[in-house]
DNA sequence: GTTTGTATCAAACGTTTGTTTGAATGTCAA
DNA sequence: TTGACATTCAAACAAACGTTTGATACAAAC
């Protein structure tokens, strides 16, 4: 091996360009030539390093998407630990901030939610990996944390649906940036992003509040 | 012209298969051969009737997606008119029902929101059409209706963000069916769909409730 | 019967696609 | 220096792609 240690430059550059292009256009709409051209390497490099195009796509999720998702989760936990972690406000606010103002750059956040949205609309082999490794455990963690701080006891399914509602909003405000900007007339910048975090937090908090609840069911 | 009146069978069949396939896989991932094969017609029919593949995609939005969106909106208005239309409950409940239990079949609803999600993540020429003709006016209508029934006065931007929050949830629960079913362990059937309508309605209503609101800003 | 216009068809067009090949280059141990 | 291995490269491969073509069928108009 030439350079086993440190980062293998070509392989890493391919993964970088591949992730960006797959997120922007989707798997089928991106050609191997486009990827290798952006990564400034030879066409055959993809097949040499990853076998084929599909394996490259899966590797993007394994070595890029999943670690990034972990970073976001870690940021959520830290943000929560820093606050008074016994209130629903703290949990929801930490969640919104982790996903809209967390450790990722705006570009990274866009790519991240674009890839996730793609997998949710038409799951590939990558979805199983993502669901098991990231989503399932994180939603469980959220349910536990919220369950321990919410005043009323909630059945598990209801708690999960609440989390989905919040998460749907978070995802939506990330992947539908263009549409939201277009329809509000506001440019997507730091100020508007802050506005969105506030919106998600306030809306979700009220949505979670089960004070005035006495369902008939 | 052979059969000007009635429906032009081949052309309509192409539009049908095209919409289904574009919704499922996206523009680039669907070949013209796949479409014409599903429509049981000759390969050249797409170019004869629509000029090229891209024009066919746009025509799917003009002649299929937009009319269907109008039907959903009409269903919302009727459902609202049938209820006591002076309460926020009525508006939100009518909205959720129109988009999850409205005039569309489950398949139609899935295709519809899949196509919309695609245009929101990576807008094509179709997006301008959709935004101007459908989204912009409908969001305005929602803002007006909600504005007239909500107890407190809301600034326009805040109202729009609230609507986006609700709409994000609606879209999410439609396009992320697979993920939601997988993570809740529930099959997506009529009963679960009812559960989702209830969830969206309750969550949104609380989210909208501005009773206990006294922001500092 | 002839003409005209619409629609469908099999076949072929030139590109682009993902993948393979074999030579060339560089690196390190023997 | 030699041999073995990892990596890069230009070139080529067959298959799939969107699109075009010219022939054919069929109806209505003259």
């Amino acid at each position: 091996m030439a350079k086993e240690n440190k980062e293998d430059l070509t392989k890493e550059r391919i993964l970088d360009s591949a992730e960006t292009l797959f997120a922007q256009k989707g798997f089928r709409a991106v050609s191997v030539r486009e990827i290798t051209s952006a990564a400034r390497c030879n066409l055959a490099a993809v097949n040499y390093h990853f076998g084929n195009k599909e394996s490259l796509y899966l590797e993007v999720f394994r070595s890029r998407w999943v670690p990034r998702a972990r970073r976001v989760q870690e940021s959520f936990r830290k943000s929560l630990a820093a606050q008074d972690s016994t209130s629903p406000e703290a949990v929801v606010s930490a969640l919104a901030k982790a996903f809209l103002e967390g450790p990722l750059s705006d570009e990274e956040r866009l790519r991240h939610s674009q890839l996730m949205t793609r997998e949710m609309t038409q799951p590939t082999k990558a979805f199983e990996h993502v669901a098991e490794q990231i989503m399932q455990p994180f939603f469980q963690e959220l349910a536990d944390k919220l369950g321990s701080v919410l005043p009323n006891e909630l059945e598990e399914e209801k708690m999960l649906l609440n989390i989905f509602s919040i998460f749907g909003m978070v995802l939506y405000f990330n992947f539908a940036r263009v549409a939201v900007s277009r329809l509000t007339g506001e440019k997507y910048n730091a100020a508007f992003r802050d506005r969105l975090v506030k919106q998600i937090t306030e809306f979700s908090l009220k949505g979670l509040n089960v004070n005035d609840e006495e369902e008939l069911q």
Side-chain angles (χ1 to χ4, degrees), chain A residues 95-155:
Chain A
L95 179 66
K97 279 181 184 161
F99 277 89
L100 270 86
E101 307 184 322
L104 309 186
S105 72
D106 263 351
E107 285 179 39
E108 277 182 306
R109 220 179 340 261
L110 183 56
R111 265 179 292 168
H112 194 74
S113 46
Q114 278 173 338
L115 282 174
M116 188 174 198
T117 306
R118 289 192 188 286
E119 280 301 316
M120 290 187 120
T121 44
Q122 45 182 339
T124 69
K125 286 177 189 170
F127 181 74
E128 281 189 42
H129 191 231
V130 166
E132 278 175 28
Q133 303 268 323
I134 299 294
M135 300 182 65
Q136 182 78 255
F138 187 60
F139 285 162
Q140 191 56 53
E141 179 181 343
L142 275 176
D144 293 345
K145 285 215 165 97
L146 271 177
S148 70
V149 295
L150 277 177
N152 316 31
E153 195 73 30
L154 282 185
E155 36 169 342

Side-chain angles (χ1 to χ4, degrees), chain A residues 38-141:
Chain A
R40 302 186 312 280
C41 68
N42 189 266
L43 168 65
V46 161
N47 298 81
Y48 175 75
H49 285 287
F50 303 95
N52 55 36
K53 190 188 171 187
E54 196 194 352
S55 299
L56 167 59
Y57 181 79
L58 295 179
E59 190 58 31
V60 162
F61 273 87
R62 274 193 224 99
S63 73
R64 289 282 192 275
W65 196 94
V66 168
R68 188 156 27 228
R70 291 200 199 284
R71 279 206 289 147
V72 174
Q73 293 184 14
E74 206 47 52
S75 147
F76 162 74
R77 290 189 199 99
K78 278 200 176 179
S79 164
L80 189 58
Q83 300 181 48
D84 165 28
S85 60
T86 55
S87 73
E89 281 87 347
V91 179
V92 174
S93 149
L95 179 66
K97 279 181 184 161
F99 277 89
L100 270 86
E101 307 184 322
L104 309 186
S105 72
D106 263 351
E107 285 179 39
E108 277 182 306
R109 220 179 340 261
L110 183 56
R111 265 179 292 168
H112 194 74
S113 46
Q114 278 173 338
L115 282 174
M116 188 174 198
T117 306
R118 289 192 188 286
E119 280 301 316
M120 290 187 120
T121 44
Q122 45 182 339
T124 69
K125 286 177 189 170
F127 181 74
E128 281 189 42
H129 191 231
V130 166
E132 278 175 28
Q133 303 268 323
I134 299 294
M135 300 182 65
Q136 182 78 255
F138 187 60
F139 285 162
Q140 191 56 53
E141 179 181 343

Side-chain angles (χ1 to χ4, degrees), chain A residues 3-14 49:
Chain A
K3 8 183 172 173
E4 171 129 36
N5 41 5
K6 298 279 180 177
E7 74 276 17
D8 181 2
L9 286 170
T10 301
K11 202 172 174 182
E12 298 300 310
R13 281 205 315 275
I14 292 179
H49 285 287

